Amino acid sequence: MIDEITLNNGEKVRIKPKISIKALRVFQDKGLLPESLLQAFVGADKEPKKMEPYLINSTWIAYLNANPDTKMSQDDFEDKLDLDFEQSGKILTEMISGSAKADARFANGFKRSTKKGNGKDRKRKHRK
């Protein structure tokens, strides 16, 4: 689990990717996370631009979660943070899944497990 990141000025700050359900609702109300995480992740491979803002926000959310009394604004934080999709992806994956590895296997596996079949995928029963 990632519990610390280094800002581009060399400062190390604590983060806490794992969020409570209450925190999820607060971040959703502020527009920092999508109203439906499941819907966002299932469609992420077809429309990545919809998920990108939440991916980028994940580091800020993890920082807020670990530092609720911070005086740093999101703009100041983002100015001190270099763009790193790999790090943001790991943080977001930890946020929503806990122990799942931060890679495409999680999203792809989840998508496959929730995909509705079109009837062709089902085994046909032998007719007598």
Side-chain angles (χ1 to χ4, degrees):
M1 183 161 110
I2 302 171
D3 61 358
E4 184 179 83
I5 59 170
T6 303
L7 302 177
N8 58 21
N9 63 1
E11 178 184 1
K12 292 185 184 288
V13 295
R14 285 180 347 111
I15 64 168
K16 184 179 173 189
K18 195 95 167 143
I19 60 174
S20 68
I21 293 173
K22 181 179 178 183
L24 169 68
R25 302 273 186 242
V26 169
F27 293 132
Q28 286 173 324
D29 289 344
K30 290 180 179 181
L32 295 171
L33 287 173
E35 289 182 28
S36 172
L37 286 175
L38 296 178
Q39 186 177 25
F41 275 97
V42 170
D45 64 334
K46 291 181 183 170
E47 297 182 86
K49 67 182 178 182
K50 287 185 178 181
M51 197 60 196
E52 187 174 307
Y54 308 116
L55 177 68
I56 293 170
N57 282 340
S58 65
T59 308
W60 169 245
I61 292 167
Y63 173 77
L64 281 181
N65 200 38
N67 305 282
D69 298 326
T70 186
K71 302 295 182 211
M72 192 181 320
S73 69
Q74 185 173 0
D75 282 343
D76 289 340
F77 178 81
E78 290 177 350
D79 190 41
K80 295 177 182 180
L81 186 67
D82 293 332
L83 183 61
D84 184 340
F85 280 114
E86 183 179 353
Q87 177 177 277
S88 296
K90 288 178 182 178
I91 291 169
L92 184 59
T93 302
E94 283 186 31
M95 190 175 292
I96 60 143
S97 68
S99 61
K101 294 207 183 253
D103 61 19
R105 288 179 295 177
F106 171 73
N108 290 335
F110 183 78
K111 185 174 181 179
R112 278 192 306 273
S113 70
T114 58
K115 188 175 182 179
K116 292 182 180 178
N118 60 6
K120 294 179 184 176
D121 298 337
R122 296 186 195 128
K123 291 184 179 179
R124 298 187 188 264
K125 292 183 179 180
H126 231 84
R127 296 185 187 179
K128 292 183 181 185

